[in-house]
Amino acid sequence: MSTEASLKAFNEAQNLIPGGVNSPVRAFKSVGGVPIFITEGKGAYLKDVDGNEYVDYVQSWGPLLFGHRDETIENAVIDAVKHGLSFGAPTLAETELAKLVTEFFSSIDKVRFVSSGTEAVMSAIRLARGFTGRDDIVKFTGCYHGHSDALLVEAGSGAATFGNPSSPGVPADFTKHTLLAEYNNIESVKKCFEDSNDIACVIIEPIAGNMGLVPADKEFLHELREICDANDTLLIFDEVMSGFRASINGAESITGVTPDLVTLGKVIGGGMPVGAFGGRREIMEQLSPEGPVYQAGTLSGNPVAMAAGYAALTKLKQNARVMDVLNKRAQRVVEGMQEAAKEQGIVMQIDTRGSMFGFFFNENPVKNFSDAAKSDAQLFARFHAGMLEEGYYFACSLYETGFISTAITDEMIEATIKASAKVLKAIKNG
Ligand code: KE4
């Protein structure tokens, strides 16, 4: 499979765009090789500048639940465009999408739309701080919540729970209110509450997808809820990725734990730039212009993006059983690959939630980021390259999650498994 044109495109892009990409993960740095430049998507397939075709298991990192160029969503966007691109004024489309979001997520009484997941999380954190009058926040190592300063944090020295900036350009002062806990480890959360009596919120991906797929244990989430209640701290579920991907009614419907605020993105934009945050009425009503907590955005609630999101969620509402079908396919693809790996004496940990799937080349189950980091990154990179060569487009990092779209058929899944057996055999004999 030639990637000459992608290489040429990548070299040119690097002269004009840092790293040649507009989001770091796309540069294939953790797997090596040339990032594939895409010309179009259709259904389950991506096509690249060399004319190669791939079954797409990334789907723009989650948004495309119905695959590429879904007719319903595409027609909704085209119709919206014919009425104008943006007004900077309220439209009926925003209210209609808000109705759907609040219908699907029982914990959301009111919702505010923004243009990215980062913006949704940044705003939800500010709202939690404004509502509680407190400054500190707790996040979990391995959870990613977008690139706002307070959340670009890595573990501090020793047993310190207060984190340090994980990126240059983030002043230590901007992360001094961020405490770090270990995912699925309730003792580490208790430690944070011993170290601070000023915690506004705990933010968690209840189904983590940014350390690979690592769902939180139900018991852990219930204990987390109890600790937040005991301290009048808000619990924020960051479902930018898992929302409408793990279930159509949110992690709360799977775990029985109700958050105070939820952040959303990806699927709710149908492929267009949309983020959202919502929750209990008394909290949301603190948001400007109803309340004092300021938040704004020129293209927030953009009518074209709203139309795409509304079409996607309406389609989901009309096909409520679709998540069961997608989960069966997710289970089949990882079970099939696990079996193929086992035939080569390779241990693969697997998991799924709804249309999300994850796998680690790891001898042991993965319950947190330090477990995930013990996975065989080199083997993952070789597997990724081999599958790409066979025409299967997997996430280009072991710390990402795979997705099944409605456009991916059982036949494609079986072919993927067959290809994985060929790739893993070649790696083993390599
Ligand atoms: P965006 O700002 O990228 O729209 O959303 C940030 C975000 C927030 N919360 C969660 C749980 C997320 O997964 C994300 C973004 N996800 C990554 C994929 N791991 C986006 C891909 C990228 O960074 O290019």
Side-chain angles (χ1 to χ4, degrees):
M1 183 181 273
S2 165
T3 57
E4 283 307 306
S6 277
L7 179 60
K8 183 169 176 291
F10 188 43
N11 290 336
E12 184 184 21
Q14 288 180 86
N15 292 328
L16 298 162
I17 301 168
V21 292
N22 285 302
S23 199
V25 69
R26 305 176 189 173
F28 275 30
K29 276 213 176 301
S30 71
V31 291
V34 177
I36 300 298
F37 277 63
I38 304 300
T39 53
E40 63 180 294
K42 183 72 183 114
Y45 292 96
L46 285 172
K47 186 181 275 188
D48 71 13
V49 289
D50 289 282
N52 303 310
E53 284 205 347
Y54 309 87
V55 175
D56 179 14
Y57 284 105
V58 177
Q59 295 142 44
S60 185
W61 304 101
L64 305 175
L65 186 72
F66 298 104
H68 294 278
R69 291 197 57 204
D70 172 81
E71 196 178 350
T72 313
I73 297 170
E74 187 167 289
N75 290 341
V77 166
I78 291 167
D79 180 56
V81 162
K82 288 177 178 169
H83 291 80
L85 294 177
S86 182
F87 312 115
T91 63
L92 298 176
E94 294 150 87
T95 307
E96 290 311 305
L97 186 54
K99 280 179 191 168
L100 276 180
V101 168
T102 53
E103 191 182 317
F104 274 117
F105 277 61
S106 57
S107 64
I108 299 179
D109 296 333
K110 282 194 167 185
V111 61
R112 169 66 56 86
F113 294 112
V114 294
S115 300
S116 72
T118 293
E119 213 183 333
V121 170
M122 177 182 75
S123 309
I125 296 275
R126 182 181 311 130
L127 179 58
R129 285 170 160 159
F131 179 77
T132 60
R134 298 177 182 174
D135 293 340
D136 292 347
I137 64 174
V138 174
K139 78 170 291 288
F140 293 86
T141 304
C143 286
Y144 175 69
H145 303 291
H147 64 90
S148 58
D149 285 340
L151 292 160
L152 290 182
V153 174
E154 63 192 5
S157 54
T161 49
F162 282 91
N164 297 328
S166 61
S167 165
V170 177
D173 270 1
F174 285 31
T175 61
K176 70 181 184 184
H177 293 292
T178 307
L179 291 91
L180 271 175
E182 184 175 69
Y183 202 74
N184 279 322
N185 175 346
I186 202 64
E187 292 309 315
S188 73
V189 177
K190 288 175 183 171
K191 177 77 170 59
C192 292
F193 280 85
E194 286 163 13
D195 291 353
S196 166
N197 59 9
D198 191 40
I199 298 176
C201 62
V202 174
I203 184 165
I204 188 167
E205 290 180 68
I207 296 158
N210 288 288
M211 54 175 121
L213 177 63
V214 183
D217 295 335
K218 262 188 199 176
E219 182 53 31
F220 168 73
L221 287 177
H222 279 274
E223 290 175 315
L224 191 58
R225 179 72 269 177
E226 284 164 20
I227 291 176
C228 287
D229 289 343
N231 292 279
D232 294 322
T233 293
L234 298 185
L235 178 57
I236 302 178
F237 275 1
D238 179 353
E239 293 222 65
V240 166
M241 184 191 290
S242 60
F244 301 102
R245 272 290 184 177
S247 97
I248 63 172
N249 297 118
E252 59 187 297
S253 66
I254 305 174
T255 63
V257 174
T258 302
D260 299 297
L261 289 172
V262 181
T263 54
L264 295 168
K266 299 180 194 271
V267 170
I268 66 165
M272 299 292 285
V274 177
F277 60 105
R280 283 197 280 121
R281 188 176 298 279
E282 61 177 330
I283 303 172
M284 293 303 291
E285 288 174 354
Q286 290 302 306
L287 203 56
S288 176
E290 200 164 355
V293 178
Y294 194 69
Q295 184 275 331
T298 301
L299 293 173
S300 296
N302 172 271
V304 180
M306 293 292 104
Y310 184 79
L313 294 197
T314 302
K315 194 162 180 143
L316 199 47
K317 185 177 174 182
Q318 291 162 351
N319 305 275
R321 308 290 306 158
V322 70
M323 209 55 85
D324 297 339
V325 173
L326 295 176
N327 185 248
K328 283 192 177 62
R329 291 189 178 140
Q331 285 179 17
R332 176 59 192 142
V333 75
V334 286
E335 284 166 3
M337 294 198 300
Q338 184 182 52
E339 190 50 43
K342 193 176 171 191
E343 282 165 20
Q344 302 306 322
I346 297 169
V347 178
M348 186 186 266
Q349 305 294 329
I350 61 172
D351 207 343
T352 70
R353 283 294 183 283
S355 62
M356 301 166 78
F357 67 84
F359 58 91
F360 295 98
F361 291 113
N362 195 317
E363 298 287 332
N364 304 299
V366 175
K367 300 299 285 179
N368 55 45
F369 181 69
S370 61
D371 292 346
K374 296 185 183 103
S375 302
D376 188 333
Q378 201 178 27
L379 176 51
F380 178 88
R382 295 177 68 187
F383 181 72
H384 179 269
M387 291 303 282
L388 209 54
E389 184 69 25
E390 293 296 320
Y392 299 93
Y393 192 81
F394 278 77
C396 50
S397 164
L398 76 88
Y399 297 122
E400 294 289 353
T401 294
F403 302 97
I404 302 286
S405 73
T406 57
I408 294 178
T409 64
D410 291 327
E411 292 71 24
M412 292 173 193
I413 299 274
E414 294 310 314
T416 305
I417 293 166
K418 206 164 163 215
S420 74
K422 178 183 172 188
V423 168
L424 288 164
K425 187 175 180 185
I427 290 171
K428 200 68 186 172
N429 297 340

